[in-house]
Amino acid sequence: MTDNDGDASILGQVPPYEWDDEQAISFEVAQDTISLFIAHCTDRYWTERRKDAPDESVIEH
C-alpha cells in the first residue's frame, strides 16, 4: 500500500492484533460511553448557548 507520495503506508507496518471477546466488548462499551458523554455535553452546550442570556461558565465547563 502506498500513499500519494509513493512511500509505503504506515498502516502496512502495524502488526495485526486479535481481540478476545472480553476485550472487544470492553472496547465497544467504552466507545458507546464516550459517544453518549459527547452527546450529553453537546446538548448541554447548545441548550445553554440558545438561551437569551447564556451562562458563560456553563458553556466553558
Side-chain angles (χ1 to χ4, degrees):
M1 183 180 293
T2 61
D3 62 18
N4 292 337
D5 296 328
D7 297 327
S9 169
I10 189 72
L11 292 177
Q13 300 173 28
V14 176
Y17 181 80
E18 293 188 26
W19 301 71
D20 64 28
D21 288 345
E22 186 175 331
Q23 289 172 318
I25 291 168
S26 293
F27 180 78
E28 288 187 31
V29 168
Q31 279 186 305
D32 290 346
T33 302
I34 292 166
S35 293
L36 289 170
F37 179 71
I38 291 170
H40 172 75
C41 291
T42 301
D43 178 63
R44 287 188 64 194
Y45 174 86
W46 286 108
T47 297
E48 191 64 34
R49 181 60 71 197
R50 285 189 298 262
K51 290 181 178 178
D52 290 337
D55 182 343
E56 290 299 321
S57 67
V58 172
I59 293 169
E60 184 66 28
H61 177 68

